[in-house]
Amino acid sequence: VEEGSRFSAQTLSVLAALCAEPRAWRHGYGIAKDTGLKSGSLYPILIRLADRGLVEARWEEEQPAGRPRRHLYRLTSDGLAAATAALTAVPAAPAGMARSRRAAVPRRLAGEGS
Amino acid sequence: VTKRLAWILGAGARLLPPGRRQWAEAVGAEAGEVAAGWPRLCWLAGGLWLVFREANVVRKFVYWLGVGAVAAAAAWVVWLTWRTYPAADPLAVTDRVRVGVGAAALVVLPWVGRRRGWFGPVGRSITARLVRVAGCVAVCGTGLAVVRMDSPLFSGPHGPGPFSLSREIAALVVLGVTLAALAVARARWADADPSLLWAVVGLAGAVILVVVPVQALAVVYVAGILAATSRRSPVANASLAAGAIAGLAAGLAATLAFDAAGGDDSYAILLLFGMITMLFLLAAVAGAAAAWRLSGTGDPEELRAARALQGLLAGAVAGAVCGLLVTNFVILAGMVLMVIGPLAGLGGGVVGGAIVADHPPEARPDRSWAAGLFVLRS
């Protein structure tokens, strides 16, 4: 990721959720609960982040009883660096965004960002 | 309802390319975790929205609508060649063959390029899809112009001339011999100089253009449109857009100028010269814009070469678009422009690209919006 990359408020919230436990594998519904995003917004963001090599994804290896296998996500090392940089610069990043979008960035971003 | 939505999501996931399918399946796999009722319904609906977006449903639908319009236009023009000529008109065959060859090119060449190759599949960008559909419709428009010019049921003072089977056969023979020679040359002399092969192709093309000009232009333009808008095309999106805009502007101005001249042949050469000059200048602007859009790759020499190439290609696109547009309205001058236009545009594009080629790449925002992911590089 080039220096100076900025992300949307929604993407920042996803990065913040993944940053909370960088080495842990998270599932989509858990991230959705943390960020308040609907599946129709969350998954396209995860796809683009994965396309850019910022997020890695895999299926659960073992079939759990009583539910389907989950698709799991976590930040790559590049993703962690980019997320840390982006979350540190949160006040500056959403400068060009609408007020409502800026407001959507969870307050805890700043605390969890690094 | 949620069960049905889950089933539709599972079925819809199969529409996605393999690399994307797992994401839709992931939404379905998580649905059981979501509280039953409205929340689960919303979750699954989001999954369907994901499938809709990732499968590019709207883009594909609009493109195939455009392809249908091209097919309808081609069928209509072919029907007109039968409808507007009296059955006993001995000259009718000439235009039926001309239009038939153009229609056949519109059917056969996309079929040939349905797999990865020079002619297709179409590029993923909206620009490529728009240019491909609009270009093919314009080719149909030239067929309509031919019918209108030659048909005795319209004003047509220019007769198409009697049908010449020998000319058609001669063109086919030249084409066949050229293709065979190229195949042999590639098989026996793999390290043959490409410029020599291109010279042979150019010479054969010139001969065919003289023998059967309308048919040759129709086939070459259809092939050019498909090649320029295919996924493997060397023409960058910015070059395609810049060339198309410049060509439309030049073509519109030329059409209005020829229309204003009102068929006064005494100024025809002067007017044509003025149009070519204008096209050259607009192509230079398009070439410069296309070259400027290329950002640095790290190697100055590589960047300079890439910029020069995109300038050249944008200019050629501008010339071709101009010629094609004018032919739809002022057929004789337009067909001259269909030949000279791309050459003039190519020259203008080379000049425009060369002016910008040595200009150092400027740091400028490269923004993208994608599914809520906003990236601004500076």
Side-chain angles (χ1 to χ4, degrees):
Chain A
V1 177
E2 294 175 32
E3 195 176 341
S5 291
R6 299 183 204 168
F7 300 101
S8 70
Q10 293 166 319
T11 307
L12 283 171
S13 66
V14 173
L15 290 174
L18 292 169
C19 259
E21 294 173 78
R23 301 316 305 160
W25 289 94
R26 305 287 311 276
H27 57 83
Y29 184 53
I31 300 171
K33 279 201 293 190
D34 283 1
T35 58
L37 293 174
K38 308 289 185 194
S39 58
S41 301
L42 171 65
Y43 280 88
I45 290 173
L46 288 171
I47 289 173
R48 307 301 168 218
L49 289 172
D51 284 348
R52 286 170 166 79
L54 303 181
V55 160
E56 55 186 328
R58 69 170 177 86
W59 287 99
E60 273 183 328
E61 283 165 8
E62 292 178 11
Q63 175 66 54
R67 64 169 176 81
R69 286 188 306 150
R70 284 170 165 165
H71 205 219
L72 304 171
Y73 318 97
R74 74 176 180 187
L75 291 169
T76 61
S77 53
D78 281 352
L80 185 59
T84 306
L87 294 170
T88 307
V90 162
M97 297 173 188
R99 190 179 297 274
S100 59
R101 281 179 176 265
R102 257 180 289 178
V105 182
R107 284 180 192 155
R108 61 192 181 77
L109 279 182
E112 294 179 354
S114 51
Chain B
V1 174
T2 51
K3 278 182 184 173
R4 286 187 181 173
L5 266 184
W7 183 85
I8 293 170
L9 179 60
R14 292 187 207 115
L15 295 175
L16 296 175
R20 289 285 189 260
R21 202 169 295 157
Q22 59 175 336
W23 297 94
E25 290 169 353
V27 179
E30 296 285 341
E33 301 293 315
V34 184
W38 184 246
R40 190 178 295 174
L41 201 67
C42 289
W43 181 266
L44 290 167
L48 285 177
W49 172 242
L50 176 75
V51 170
F52 188 77
R53 285 184 65 122
E54 296 300 317
N56 287 323
V57 172
V58 174
R59 190 182 294 185
K60 283 177 183 168
F61 178 75
V62 171
Y63 175 67
W64 284 106
L65 212 61
V67 170
V70 172
W76 182 55
V77 176
V78 169
W79 177 77
L80 270 181
T81 59
W82 263 262
R83 174 78 176 79
T84 55
Y85 286 97
D89 188 345
L91 308 182
V93 182
T94 309
D95 276 355
R96 285 178 189 166
V97 170
R98 287 174 172 178
V99 169
V101 168
L106 283 169
V107 172
V108 172
L109 292 183
W111 180 76
V112 168
R114 68 196 188 284
R115 293 183 182 168
R116 289 187 185 281
W118 279 20
F119 297 145
V122 67
R124 290 189 174 86
S125 73
I126 292 171
T127 310
R129 286 161 192 255
L130 199 64
V131 169
R132 179 173 280 206
V133 168
C136 290
V137 168
V139 169
C140 294
T142 61
L144 185 63
V146 165
V147 173
R148 282 188 67 86
M149 182 183 75
D150 292 341
S151 169
L153 296 188
F154 291 103
S155 57
H158 312 280
F163 177 67
S164 170
L165 188 61
S166 56
R167 278 174 170 258
E168 306 291 330
I169 291 173
L172 283 175
V173 167
V174 172
L175 181 67
V177 167
T178 308
L179 291 176
L182 288 176
V184 169
R186 286 182 64 181
R188 294 197 59 176
W189 301 287
D191 55 348
D193 186 2
S195 58
L196 186 67
L197 300 180
W198 281 112
V200 171
V201 171
L203 188 65
V207 170
I208 294 172
L209 186 65
V210 169
V211 177
V212 283
V214 178
Q215 294 93 315
L217 283 175
V219 172
V220 166
Y221 266 72
V222 172
I225 290 163
L226 296 177
T229 56
S230 77
R231 262 173 226 175
R232 291 180 61 182
S233 168
V235 187
N237 267 332
S239 310
L240 201 58
I245 290 168
L248 283 175
L252 196 63
T255 303
L256 292 174
F258 282 120
D259 192 48
D264 186 351
D265 291 344
S266 54
Y267 295 109
I269 299 295
L270 194 64
L271 201 56
L272 199 61
F273 180 75
M275 293 305 110
I276 290 170
T277 306
M278 180 190 63
L279 174 60
F280 182 91
L281 295 174
L282 282 171
V285 173
W292 185 79
R293 281 291 300 168
L294 279 185
S295 52
T297 57
D299 181 356
E301 281 303 318
E302 197 178 304
L303 175 65
R304 189 178 295 122
R307 281 180 154 179
L309 176 67
Q310 290 307 319
L312 179 152
L313 292 171
V317 169
V321 168
C322 174
L324 201 51
L325 179 64
V326 175
T327 308
N328 275 258
F329 301 100
V330 193
I331 185 163
L332 292 178
M335 294 197 86
V336 173
L337 277 175
M338 279 178 86
V339 178
I340 300 175
L343 298 175
L346 198 138
V350 166
V351 171
I355 290 170
V356 175
D358 289 327
H359 194 269
E362 291 179 21
R364 57 176 181 271
D366 176 14
R367 295 172 295 175
S368 72
W369 274 104
L373 177 60
F374 178 63
V375 180
L376 174 63
R377 297 188 178 95
S378 56

